[in-house]
Amino acid sequence: MLGHVMTSLASALDNALTTATELPGGSFSVGEPYAVQREVVDLRLARGETIAGVKLGLTSKAKMEQMGVDSVIWGWLTDAMRVEDGGVLDLGPRIHPKVEPEVAFLVRAGAIAAVAPALEVIDSRWLDFKFTLDEVIADNTSAAGFVVGSWQPVPDSVDRLGVQLILDGEVVQSGSTAAILGDPRLAFAEALRLAGTLEDDWIVLAGAATAAVPVGTGQTVRVEVEGLGSASLKASS
Ligand code: OOG
Ligand code: MG
């Protein structure tokens, strides 16, 4: 019975993803949220996508407050979610996309090999971007896209770097990497603990340093992280 419930929620979430339609929150009993998440991701892998890494979510107070959910969560990144730095994000298959400024880590031998500024695109499959903790976990933590800037050698510390999210040349959010669990490297450690293993060349997104901002057609979005450089995308329909 539980299996039946999970399968129907996973396929409903997958349908919401592929048809860019929302699901009303509260319409499903979630059961084991990470098991549903794995099913949702397996449906993507069955279509030929491959795992590109993992993402942490709600690692900052700004995000916890924005979403009304107060626990660190994690999900999977796939190759199909990746947008090249400076590339185009196709809004066609999106519901209500938002962008948020992040820091990415590159994995080698289970450790951090390099760091880069990153943007995450989140696009909840839940109506109006409103969900319970279990619902957002089942929905692969709203993962929809990501951009990684140029990889940089890991500096002595990455815990107090200024972060800016810039929309069409205007700073719309600013903060510090200190917002990410006090130090984004703790998010990496958390990702390793939660995922159990991190494979070589996987990307770890440490979680947004600020609240997320809606993105629309024609807009250019850039993240700047002090000392690490920038990464950008252009949204088009
Ligand atoms: C959940 C995903 C949160 C982050 O960086 O905090 C997240 C959501 O806000 O929809 O990716
Ligand atoms: Mg994020």
Side-chain angles (χ1 to χ4, degrees):
M1 193 58 210
L2 185 62
H4 172 71
V5 169
M6 289 196 296
T7 302
S8 60
L9 174 54
S11 52
L13 282 167
D14 189 56
N15 186 60
L17 166 78
T18 54
T19 61
T21 49
E22 299 162 281
L23 278 182
S27 52
F28 283 87
S29 104
V30 176
E32 281 294 318
Y34 281 105
V36 179
Q37 180 192 97
R38 188 65 222 198
E39 277 190 76
V40 165
V41 173
D42 282 345
L43 289 168
R44 299 185 70 129
L45 301 185
R47 289 194 289 270
E49 297 180 33
T50 58
I51 296 294
V54 302
K55 58 162 285 188
L56 272 273
L58 309 180
T59 46
S60 70
K61 278 218 172 57
K63 283 289 303 183
M64 289 182 186
E65 279 165 14
Q66 182 181 30
M67 306 321 295
V69 174
D70 66 354
S71 164
V72 171
I73 56 179
W74 71 285
W76 295 97
L77 301 173
T78 73
D79 60 342
M81 298 177 192
R82 188 161 187 170
V83 175
E84 286 314 306
D85 186 12
V88 173
L89 172 73
D90 181 7
L91 294 183
R94 317 289 169 182
I95 302 168
H96 38 209
K98 297 183 193 178
V99 284
E100 48 189 28
E102 305 226 1
V103 167
F105 293 115
L106 180 66
V107 180
R108 287 281 155 75
I112 298 172
V115 60
L119 287 168
E120 185 179 16
V121 182
I122 53 172
D123 191 25
S124 180
R125 270 57 67 167
W126 295 108
L127 184 67
D128 296 335
F129 237 109
K130 294 211 177 77
F131 39 68
T132 63
L133 184 63
D134 282 357
E135 285 171 340
V136 67
I137 292 167
D139 185 25
N140 196 25
T141 65
S142 308
F146 64 97
V147 178
V148 177
S150 306
W151 292 115
Q152 307 294 326
V154 189
D156 287 345
S157 72
V158 291
D159 61 346
R160 276 147 205 251
L161 308 179
V163 174
Q164 290 190 320
L165 183 67
I166 300 157
L167 215 66
D168 289 336
E170 190 189 327
V171 177
V172 289
Q173 291 285 334
S174 58
S176 163
T177 56
I180 304 163
L181 295 180
D183 183 336
R185 279 171 306 192
L186 295 178
F188 184 92
E190 198 58 12
L192 182 56
R193 189 181 72 79
L194 291 166
T197 164
L198 296 173
E199 294 184 11
D200 279 0
D201 299 322
W202 276 10
I203 289 160
V204 174
L205 287 184
T210 72
V213 172
V215 59
T217 305
Q219 288 184 312
T220 296
V221 186
R222 200 167 85 241
V223 56
E224 283 188 10
V225 181
E226 187 184 352
L228 298 183
S230 68
S232 69
L233 65 79
K234 182 162 170 89
S236 107
S237 53

